[in-house]
Amino acid sequence: MALNLRQKQMSLIVRMLNLNQPSNRGGGISSDTAVAAEEVYKILIMDAFCLGILSPLIHVNDLRKHGITLFFPIDKSRQTVPDVPAIYFVRPTPENVDRIAADADRGLYESFHLNFSASLPRPLLETLAFKTLEKDAVHRISKIHDQYLEFVTLEDTLFSLAQPKAYVQINDPSAGDREIEEIVEKIVSGLFCVLSTLGVVPVIRCARGGPAEMVASALDSRIRDHLVIKNNLFSESGVLASSFQRPLLCIFDRNFELAVGIQHDWSYRPLVHDVLGMKLNRVTMPAEKAAAKSYELDVSDSFWDSNSWSPFQKVAEEIETQLSKYKQDVDEVNKRTGGKDGVEFDGTDLIGNTKHLMNAVNSLPELTERKKMIDKHTNIATVLLGEIKERSLDGYCTLENDLLTKGSVDKSQLLSLLKGKGTKVDKIRLAITYLLSLETTPQSEVEPIEAALRESDVDTCAFQYVKKIKSLNASLAASASSASRSNIVDWAEKLYGQSISAVTAGMKNLLSGGRQLALTRTVEALMEGKPNPEVDSYLVFDPRAPRSGSGAQLRGPFKEAIVFMIGGGNYVEYRSLMELAQRSQPVKHVIYGTTEVLNGAEFIEQLTELGQKMGLGSSGMGPSQ
């Protein structure tokens, strides 16, 4: 059983768009209701979050195939559309419930099919019932469904809970127990949605202490409580319930491997995400005068699918190759039809015999699509190249790679880059990567770096925050062997748990063994399930086992894993895990998920905010500058 999250979520959304009629195996609706459903035209109402869920999965044209003629945001004023059913797909919030009740009161639509992205809490259900009864509008509410779809699937094996600033919320020194419990509950709710969509009850592994254990423990309890229900969300997968095919869920905290979220990368996909800010598989090109162009980058783009993990220079070469091949094919068509060599193929000069003419006409759509794809990636690569030259991004990538693999670089080269080209965020990212590569942080080593940052007028809050983590880590390590623990160490352990020591420990082996990340190596060890000093201390939670059971009998080997990163993930980790899955014999299946997908600049913003909350570093200089 391959866990295809995108396919599973898509089938549930298609079912929802067809008024929750049962789907057949082909992905459509059952034959009994097919004719009726085809004749039903519907309106789709969404909030911003649920629009984000749909965006990477389904295009506007695809909505029309399912009878959706119009779609509106729930928070905008809308006119009455009589005799048409409305499908609501929204989060279960008090604001959305109030708007639905108001819409029903006004009789905006013939019937209301309510779909909540997660479970609708009982108090909100009662509020909805009370308000619709009070306004005599309850008859308009046709059905209410909890869809458990509160996550964004970007690819078959990549998802995000779209929970911004989770890293700040979890690591905020001023956060109380209640705030921490709230963010943990949000993460657990999102993960529960993912697991129920997949229909699997995993064996959960995590390191002791910190946010990872909090989430794992709460998720274990949530699944246990749900499994008591007779017809639960996992009952359809009963055949797999107790078999060895159950997947492993590995939960990590971002501090486990901090540098991966900060470093520059030379591959096409991370570069596009980093430089152009790709969101929901869409990138908007910078434009000064003309209207900004927006491109979709997903599996429907064959060039992106084949080349997005290649180094940038290889991508540039491949664009040239594709362009040359396109021109050859155009020339070939022109020759066969009597057109002129080198003329853009637009179908206007087609002459010659009927056979060649028909072949040329048939090849026109394919050639046109190829040209559009080549133009798209030429435009993207041109903008990237401009940024690479202007910011010397190749220099940053090379230097950071040396730091993470060799542990040292030429200090003069480092200082030269910090004082030279690059944005302020580029410089702070390099400085933090250097800081994390040091086993110890003597002031004599750090002072020249701080001076270079000040000279370039860079906000050092993020740098000082990471430096503080490292000093707390040293304190924690020193006091671990003694019986007494100081207050600051108690505070540090409460805040960071296991992760604080991993900040540096993970760095030493960060890219050892052929650029394999510490995260990937740990996941591989957990999936193998053999005795291993790196993971033997990891906790095991099995929601299907008795609470008193240890779960040791379920330690592997596992063919499938879901790896979840609390506090922000990135494409570098995603690539590393996909490479692990492919090189394994037999091939393993790994899904990567995170609270949000962050590029280096966005992660630096969160580190800066934490530095400011702790009163560290300089202030007044935004990280985006």
Side-chain angles (χ1 to χ4, degrees):
M1 177 194 68
L3 300 175
N4 190 324
L5 188 58
R6 184 187 178 93
Q7 187 180 4
K8 294 262 189 181
Q9 190 180 31
M10 186 66 191
S11 66
L12 291 172
I13 285 172
V14 167
R15 178 174 170 146
M16 178 187 76
L17 295 178
N18 288 306
L19 303 179
N20 289 290
Q21 301 289 353
S23 298
N24 61 25
R25 288 186 180 180
I29 56 175
S30 61
S31 55
D32 295 338
T33 54
V35 176
E38 281 173 10
E39 295 171 353
V40 175
Y41 292 104
K42 298 149 285 193
I43 287 174
L44 180 62
I45 312 294
M46 292 178 288
D47 58 12
F49 185 89
C50 291
L51 177 61
I53 294 173
L54 256 66
S55 292
L57 292 174
I58 194 162
H59 300 134
V60 174
N61 291 340
D62 295 321
L63 285 174
R64 295 194 183 108
K65 291 175 190 173
H66 300 288
I68 305 296
T69 53
L70 297 167
F71 61 93
F72 299 107
I74 193 171
D75 56 349
K76 294 288 188 286
S77 177
R78 286 164 276 123
Q79 294 181 335
T80 304
V81 185
D83 305 324
V84 174
I87 297 169
Y88 281 73
F89 183 37
V90 294
R91 296 180 95 176
T93 65
E95 297 78 16
N96 284 338
V97 167
D98 289 345
R99 289 180 182 122
I100 290 167
D103 290 352
D105 176 35
R106 291 173 57 202
L108 288 186
Y109 314 111
E110 179 190 54
S111 58
F112 289 63
H113 297 257
L114 308 183
N115 299 272
F116 292 97
S117 59
S119 180
L120 180 67
R122 184 81 189 180
L124 287 183
L125 180 61
E126 290 172 356
T127 299
L128 179 63
F130 174 77
K131 290 195 171 187
T132 50
L133 279 168
E134 186 183 39
K135 302 292 184 182
D136 194 25
V138 73
H139 63 280
R140 295 195 177 96
I141 308 296
S142 180
K143 286 183 179 178
I144 300 175
H145 293 269
D146 292 338
Q147 293 291 355
Y148 295 98
L149 293 171
E150 200 156 280
F151 58 94
V152 178
T153 306
L154 298 168
E155 297 185 22
D156 291 349
T157 52
L158 175 65
F159 73 90
S160 163
L161 300 186
Q163 294 178 1
K165 293 201 171 180
Y167 185 80
V168 171
Q169 292 165 355
I170 284 173
N171 293 289
D172 187 346
S174 63
D177 289 346
R178 187 176 174 184
E179 287 89 347
I180 297 294
E181 284 168 10
E182 282 177 3
I183 182 64
V184 167
E185 177 52 38
K186 274 181 69 180
I187 293 168
V188 167
S189 177
L191 280 173
F192 184 83
C193 288
V194 171
L195 296 175
S196 62
T197 298
L198 289 169
V200 295
V201 178
V203 175
I204 306 169
R205 299 295 304 270
C206 69
R208 293 180 183 275
E213 184 183 348
M214 292 169 72
V215 169
S217 177
L219 181 62
D220 176 61
S221 298
R222 174 85 181 266
I223 296 172
R224 283 179 185 276
D225 292 344
H226 184 75
L227 288 174
V228 175
I229 303 168
K230 187 176 181 182
N231 294 319
N232 61 67
L233 294 165
F234 304 102
S235 57
E236 290 180 14
S237 57
V239 178
L240 299 162
S242 59
S243 76
F244 61 88
Q245 288 288 346
R246 286 174 62 194
L248 186 69
L249 171 59
C250 311
I251 302 178
F252 295 90
D253 168 26
R254 179 68 274 160
N255 285 333
F256 175 78
E257 207 170 3
L258 204 62
V260 189
I262 295 166
Q263 70 184 91
H264 294 82
D265 195 83
W266 193 238
S267 301
Y268 191 36
R269 187 183 303 217
L271 262 177
V272 170
H273 183 228
D274 199 349
V275 175
L276 298 175
M278 180 170 66
K279 295 285 182 194
L280 299 173
N281 295 342
R282 179 174 285 274
V283 64
T284 302
M285 306 297 289
E288 293 179 5
K289 296 180 182 177
K293 279 190 176 180
S294 183
Y295 297 125
E296 283 189 18
L297 297 169
D298 55 23
V299 288
S300 64
D301 182 334
S302 58
F303 185 91
W304 177 257
D305 200 37
S306 304
N307 299 284
S308 64
W309 296 121
S310 300
F312 180 70
Q313 68 271 23
K314 288 270 180 68
V315 172
E317 290 168 11
E318 184 61 25
I319 291 171
E320 285 294 323
T321 304
Q322 296 268 12
L323 185 58
S324 298
K325 190 172 185 307
Y326 165 79
K327 287 179 177 176
Q328 284 176 9
D329 291 347
V330 169
D331 288 343
E332 183 65 28
V333 170
N334 283 334
K335 282 176 187 174
R336 286 176 177 273
T337 56
K340 297 174 184 176
D341 289 353
V343 176
E344 278 290 309
F345 184 69
D346 58 8
T348 57
D349 293 332
L350 297 177
I351 57 173
N353 65 52
T354 305
K355 184 180 176 183
H356 289 149
L357 187 62
M358 289 302 296
N359 287 340
V361 169
N362 290 336
S363 66
L364 178 58
E366 190 261 343
L367 285 168
T368 304
E369 281 304 308
R370 276 171 60 190
K371 185 64 165 64
K372 279 169 65 177
M373 186 180 69
I374 292 166
D375 287 346
K376 171 166 77 172
H377 288 283
T378 301
N379 291 343
I380 291 172
T382 302
V383 173
L384 287 179
L385 187 60
E387 289 287 316
I388 288 166
K389 287 181 176 177
E390 188 179 328
R391 292 162 56 182
S392 190
L393 291 180
D394 50 337
Y396 282 95
C397 288
T398 304
L399 210 57
E400 288 171 2
N401 187 49
D402 287 347
L403 281 169
L404 300 179
T405 51
K406 300 171 187 173
S408 63
V409 290
D410 180 354
K411 195 75 170 286
S412 61
Q413 192 182 356
L414 175 69
L415 292 171
S416 172
L417 199 52
L418 288 174
K419 295 175 183 177
K421 288 182 177 181
T423 64
K424 293 174 182 180
V425 177
D426 290 330
K427 293 174 182 180
I428 197 75
R429 286 166 69 179
L430 174 61
I432 292 173
T433 305
Y434 172 72
L435 183 65
L436 288 169
S437 71
L438 299 172
E439 289 204 26
T440 58
T441 52
Q443 191 57 29
S444 59
E445 288 283 330
V446 175
E447 180 53 42
I449 305 299
E450 292 178 343
L453 291 173
R454 286 194 297 270
E455 192 177 313
S456 296
D457 203 21
V458 176
D459 181 350
T460 59
C461 282
F463 184 84
Q464 298 298 340
Y465 175 74
V466 175
K467 185 177 164 187
K468 183 77 170 176
I469 286 181
K470 288 202 70 174
S471 67
L472 287 171
N473 171 42
S475 303
L476 188 61
S479 61
S481 56
S482 64
S484 62
R485 305 173 74 85
S486 66
N487 288 338
I488 191 161
V489 174
D490 281 337
W491 172 80
E493 191 168 50
K494 177 194 169 191
L495 200 59
Y496 301 105
Q498 58 82 26
S499 57
I500 198 165
S501 58
V503 172
T504 338
M507 283 300 304
K508 284 186 281 187
N509 302 310
L510 186 65
L511 297 174
S512 60
R515 289 186 62 84
Q516 186 177 2
L517 302 182
L519 173 75
T520 309
R521 192 176 63 250
T522 305
V523 170
E524 186 172 20
L526 289 169
M527 291 185 79
E528 283 175 359
K530 296 175 184 174
N532 187 322
E534 280 196 35
V535 296
D536 285 346
S537 63
Y538 275 53
L539 298 171
V540 182
F541 294 90
D542 181 5
R544 286 199 183 275
R547 284 189 186 272
S548 58
S550 66
Q553 70 276 14
L554 292 166
R555 289 197 173 183
F558 292 88
K559 295 179 181 177
E560 299 167 332
I562 302 162
V563 180
F564 186 76
M565 180 61 73
I566 301 168
N570 52 75
Y571 284 105
V572 177
E573 277 177 344
Y574 177 50
R575 175 186 61 201
S576 182
L577 289 167
M578 292 309 102
E579 287 171 351
L580 163 67
Q582 290 304 313
R583 72 169 175 267
S584 301
Q585 291 298 329
V587 172
K588 289 179 166 46
H589 192 80
V590 180
I591 291 177
Y592 177 62
T594 176
T595 44
E596 60 178 328
V597 181
L598 295 172
N599 61 30
E602 290 164 341
F603 188 45
I604 287 294
E605 278 188 35
Q606 297 198 30
L607 291 173
T608 300
E609 187 174 336
L610 285 168
Q612 289 167 347
K613 284 176 181 287
M614 291 178 71
L616 304 170
S618 55
S619 59
M621 187 63 62
S624 59
Q625 291 179 292

